[in-house]
Amino acid sequence: MDELNKINPMYQFSLKAFNIVFHKAVQQAEPSDNVKERVNNLIDCVTYSTFIYISRGLFERDKLTFTAWLAFQLLLMNKEFDPREYTILKDNFLQILWSFLLFRMHSATRQMWKVLVESEYSSSASLLFFFLPPGTDPLKDVESLGKKLHNVSLGQGQEAIAEIAMEKASKGGRWVILQNIYLVAKWLDTLEKLLEKHSEGSHPDYRAFMSAEPAPTPKEHLIPQGILENSVKITNEPPTGMLANLHAALDNFDQNILHQSTREQEFKTILFSCCYFHACVAEQHKFGPLGWNRKYPFCNGDLTISASVLYNYLEANSQVPWEDLCYLFGEIMYSGHITDNWDRRVCFLFCLPRIIMGSLVPVPGFVVHENLDYLGYHKHIDEVLPLKSEVHYGPHSSAETEFLTTASDNLFCMLLELQSRDVTTGGGMSQSAEEKVKAILNDMWEKLPEEYSISDITSKTTEHSSDTRACFPDYERMNMLMQGMWCCLKELDLGLKGELAISSEMEQLQTALFFDNLPDTWMRRAYPSTYSVAQWYSDLLCCRELDSWAQDLSLPSAVWISGFFNPQSFLTGRKACWDVPGGHLTEAHPKAVMFVTAIPSDRQETRNTYECPVYKTKTSKSVKWVLAGVTLLLNA
């Protein structure tokens, strides 16, 4: 529990909190007269209780990391796993491990915070802390349970009102919820003292809730450690996977809502389609820029309001107004969040219904029945929804592979960071982090290339073509990269020898080299790349096309475009003209003038063409992934 703050500074837990979980687990463990069996029951119950306690407060992206980490710790404790196997798993069994842990994670953590509030994990001394992902609001759920509720939205001088509300609630047995506490950074120390004061001697029915958005970076983290350590942390993000997303979307309704319309069959089928659409747009987030170019705060409110719109339109029209509903759902309710035109196009494509024999079929083989009750629809999802299909939410199966690979890489990188810095070599000998970094540093130092002599290169020609104008800036930037690397490696070498004090920059470089990450200081100077530092350095040594270019400044026969610091400059310089009679590209004419004029976008002729985007790396920001889109990638 202590180590989890390495993942996110919001994950702070105290020994007091663990003691509560521990003692309750001891009471709940299966009794046995056999001592060995009793001990095993205690270990299992404490482990599971701790797992549940922590999981309900983790963001969705971190649940798999925590589950995997706990699983590996148990295997290590039982000597069933060798730490060296992390690398083997990372390289060979990513998707198998992902699928297994994902299944275990969702089966073990499908509990909502409402169960927590109604159970004995909650008391007047317990603070319940909501982490707010985009588009979530716990107020409605809290209000449904607490009739006597003081609600204070902090900011704009609301601190004094919050103090009065806490005082009244603690004495009168009421509930108080303090929303967005991150907006009052200077008052947080006072808040911590007030929470400690009211945790003892208050009315037994007193409950304190608070909410905050997570900080974008650890440096911007504001919440005091004491508040985080002594609180029960809760978050509620959209689940991962179409099956879980579709169930969660349907959970926003009940049997009474399904029966509310006079046109029950149409209402139920279209409402279920809306649930499917909602699950699709939520699932798209996991693909990053392959799904949505930007992050959007889609929430359950979009779905419930869409259901109200559906009800009103069906009651007011004799025929189902398909076009109106599609426009309202796709362009207004959900596209209202969307700021990117291409994403808006994707959103609307998802909303176009397909009618086959009077039944809605969002996925081939998955027919939406008209006469099921609420539980029947849940059962229908479990039994009929295809486990895996490209047409579920658009992207090709390759996008799923890319997502799993990236997620697995991130998972194992985080697991390695959480482990001890001492590593085990092949011979069973222990190697410290310092020794490992020294070995990497020495290997890089021996192979580091010399700088280019800019004066020697420029003296070889007096005429500057578009090619030479593109390559000269790269020589200068490569020299800057070499100089920066040389200084960093030299300083770290002296620091590890004890001849120089270790600075924060040197410590960051040491950490990056230990975990095979490309250091930020080098990344800022280098050409775009997402490779590990070992792979990146290997490319840097093997693909030095600038060496051959520097011989006589003639264009090499093969060019590694992604190795350029600014590939746009080279590509612009290589533009050729079109030979109209021959119907092919030809060399551009010297001193040719290109006439460019603007036309309205609606007059642009794009028939029989595909506007293919070109990315520097797979993390580049751009705009064109429409369902199973196509792209060119310069560097993985």
Side-chain angles (χ1 to χ4, degrees), residues 347-366:
C347 182
F348 191 69
L349 285 174
F350 275 138
C351 200
L352 296 178
R354 287 168 289 182
I355 307 299
I356 300 177
M357 297 178 64
S359 296
L360 202 63
V361 186
V363 178
F366 184 56

Side-chain angles (χ1 to χ4, degrees), residues 45-96:
C45 193
V46 169
T47 303
Y48 182 73
S49 299
T50 306
F51 171 78
I52 294 298
Y53 176 80
I54 295 176
S55 294
R56 65 166 56 95
L58 298 181
F59 295 114
E60 199 71 22
R61 63 180 178 270
D62 297 326
K63 287 182 178 179
L64 180 62
T65 302
F66 171 61
T67 306
W69 186 36
L70 179 60
F72 286 131
Q73 290 298 312
L74 294 173
L75 292 172
L76 287 169
M77 183 180 68
N78 295 328
K79 298 182 180 180
E80 298 174 2
F81 183 73
D82 189 326
R84 292 172 295 174
E85 293 176 355
Y86 275 124
T87 304
I88 299 174
L89 284 169
K90 185 176 186 295
D91 294 337
N92 298 285
F93 301 109
L94 304 180
Q95 295 175 24
I96 297 175

